[in-house]
Amino acid sequence: MKAWLLLFIALAASADERRSGRDTMSQALRTLQADDAQHPAQLALALGRDLWEQGKRSCASCHGAPETLRGAATRYPAWDQGLLDLPGRIQRCRVRHQALPAWKPEAEPLLALTALVAQQSRGLPVQPQRGAELDQAAAQGQRLYTTRIGALNLSCAQCHDERAGLRLGGSLIPEGHVDDYPVYRLEWQSLGSLQRRLRGCLSGVRATAWDWDSRELLALEIYLARRSTGMAMQPPGVRP
């Protein structure tokens, strides 16, 4: 067999067969996510830009325009004296550098700034950081992902690996990639973080939801980010 044919076969076998959650949506929702003028998160993004400029110690006073943070969202969750996802980084900046109280989890301004920062990395591949602490957290996240929990005795893997592409309640089950977060869910009629989605899954299997920013949630976020490594980001996403 000719060398070029062997190479073609090898490349075809190694092709990335992962599917982003947006690829499982209807054409109408994919169009909605791709159209900034009609995107349901446009008001949140506008709020994020307003917040970016507010105050003597504004985001802009340190970072300049939001566009200077292109690529930042691709690297989260990260390790900085503890585990941090992107909303956690924004909270830390608010408390440490702006000397302002932290927002409550899922607060509208926190989600607005998270969406604005994440949007700057559209089209870039997910590239989570590495390191001993993050490796340990990712290993914990993988264990959590494959462990059966709750009254329904189900694991993340049973839905998002074994049954990905099938339907649950009329919606296609995605593969569990995190390339579009935060997302605007029509079910919520608002933006929401990955932690909100994970806590919703825990409630769905009748398990006790972990606390916001808990080690468990952050470890699972890190593992999911690593599963999504190399996938192009398109935040904020739109989901049913």
Side-chain angles (χ1 to χ4, degrees):
M1 189 176 294
K2 293 184 178 180
W4 66 267
L5 185 55
L6 288 171
L7 178 60
F8 177 83
I9 293 173
L11 289 174
S14 63
D16 191 345
E17 297 180 352
R18 295 174 300 174
R19 297 184 70 198
S20 169
R22 63 181 173 273
D23 296 333
T24 68
M25 297 189 303
S26 66
Q27 182 59 50
L29 284 183
R30 290 199 298 270
T31 300
L32 191 62
Q33 178 167 335
D35 187 346
D36 286 342
Q38 299 186 56
H39 199 296
Q42 61 176 313
L43 293 179
L45 290 167
L47 173 61
R49 286 193 173 273
D50 288 342
L51 291 168
W52 187 266
E53 302 286 345
Q54 286 182 10
K56 293 181 179 180
R57 299 179 181 179
S58 67
C59 306
S61 68
C62 280
H63 301 289
E67 291 77 10
T68 62
L69 292 185
R70 180 164 175 78
T74 68
R75 301 189 291 271
Y76 282 86
W79 177 270
D80 184 1
Q81 299 178 344
L83 297 173
L84 279 177
D85 57 9
L86 183 57
R89 171 62 74 189
I90 291 170
Q91 291 274 50
R92 182 174 292 185
C93 284
R94 177 174 170 81
V95 172
R96 289 188 178 180
H97 302 300
Q98 296 180 315
L100 294 170
W103 287 302
K104 292 182 179 179
E106 301 300 290
E108 184 180 15
L110 175 59
L111 290 169
L113 279 172
T114 302
L116 178 66
V117 174
Q119 186 188 44
Q120 309 313 311
S121 295
R122 276 183 174 178
L124 297 181
V126 178
Q127 294 290 349
Q129 297 183 33
R130 301 279 170 168
E133 296 89 352
L134 291 170
D135 291 346
Q136 291 174 8
Q140 180 186 3
Q142 184 174 17
R143 290 192 297 272
L144 293 170
Y145 185 85
T146 56
T147 298
R148 293 172 179 260
I149 56 174
L152 299 187
N153 196 34
L154 291 172
S155 70
C156 308
Q158 285 178 283
C159 279
H160 298 289
D161 290 348
E162 298 173 15
R163 293 173 176 79
L166 302 179
R167 290 192 175 273
L168 178 65
S171 298
L172 282 175
I173 301 174
E175 294 180 1
H177 299 299
V178 295
D179 43 318
D180 284 356
Y181 277 87
V183 301
Y184 187 103
R185 291 188 68 90
L186 302 184
E187 172 191 359
W188 299 336
Q189 287 295 291
S190 68
L191 273 175
S193 69
L194 178 55
Q195 289 199 21
R196 181 177 180 181
R197 176 67 271 179
L198 295 176
R199 282 168 56 90
C201 286
L202 289 166
S203 297
V205 299
R206 310 295 187 267
T208 300
W210 299 313
D211 291 338
W212 296 101
D213 296 316
S214 63
R215 169 77 184 196
E216 291 87 354
L217 282 175
L218 290 166
L220 194 49
E221 283 193 71
I222 292 170
Y223 174 65
L224 292 174
R226 291 194 176 187
R227 278 169 50 94
S228 306
T229 296
M231 299 181 74
M233 298 180 66
Q234 291 294 334
V238 178
R239 296 294 184 269

